[in-house]
Amino acid sequence: MEEFNNKIEQYYVKKVDADKKSIYCHHDLMGELFTTTHKHDKAQLLYAEGDVVFVTTETKTYFLPARHLIWIPNGVVHSIHPKSESVMMRNLYFPVEKGEDAFYQNEGIYPVNNLLLQMMLFTNQWNGDLKKGSPNYVIAKAIKAILPQICLTNLPLELPLPKDVRLNKILRHIENNLGETILFSDVAHQFGYSERSLYRLFQKDLNMSFIQYYTIRRILKAIELLLDRKLSVKEVAQEVGYSSVPTFSNTFFKILGQRPSDYLNGENILKSR
């Protein structure tokens, strides 16, 4: 285990940040690789293909579905947990420049449109440092430059980590019963709260309501099930507690910007290249 952690440390510190002016590129199947908590001086663009990736910071767990990217500003402490060994991770690490757009200062998950997808395809054979002034550096710089213009919808695919230990049991209850309809009033009664006091606890500690947390968690589970490709959309809806497929589809669309059927039929383009 110590040798494994040393390899991770060497990769992220000695390689990514070794040349302060280069753009560092790393594309690879994750295998069983779990990237322990770390940070780097460069900002990171991470694109996932094939399955789900969990990115955990000090305050949140981000849920990165296939065919989406996450932007991680420099200096943000985080760990990376691929859901399966089939995940293809494509990373570009950018040095911070003066006067950058405010976009680059915030973490966020965004869908990848056709333009950005084709540009990512072009990086497929790259690995290591892209030296300033080289053709590949210019192309990578263009990828970074277009992000504020095309990444207009920061998807709410993250859940805050509770600070109040009283919430842990409640959140585990939600996690363990996603296939059932969970009523806020029932949860409050079961765990000995008035509805008003439990509402305040969610808002104060997680900065969101119970229903917001519950809805996002159901949709995140639905994405996992869709990517497994073992269940139909109707069956996925039932697995996350929706008796109505249209209601499930509408909720999925509001959060992810596409219908579950479209997401289910999406192709793993980069993985096959």
Side-chain angles (χ1 to χ4, degrees), residues 84-136:
S84 73
E85 61 184 32
S86 63
V87 177
M88 173 66 78
M89 304 261 284
R90 299 182 182 271
N91 299 276
L92 290 171
Y93 299 87
F94 297 94
V96 178
E97 300 176 350
K98 293 181 180 180
E100 287 189 328
D101 191 289
F103 170 90
Y104 303 114
Q105 300 172 17
N106 301 299
E107 304 152 24
I109 292 179
Y110 305 91
V112 172
N113 66 9
N114 289 334
L115 171 61
L116 187 54
L117 177 59
Q118 292 303 315
M119 296 182 79
M120 292 300 293
L121 280 173
F122 197 82
T123 75
N124 190 49
Q125 301 302 318
W126 299 355
N127 234 343
D129 287 309
L130 310 178
K131 298 294 185 178
K132 191 171 184 178
S134 68
N136 289 349

Side-chain angles (χ1 to χ4, degrees), residues 36 94 98 108 219 257 262:
T36 54
F94 297 94
K98 293 181 180 180
I219 296 303
D262 296 331

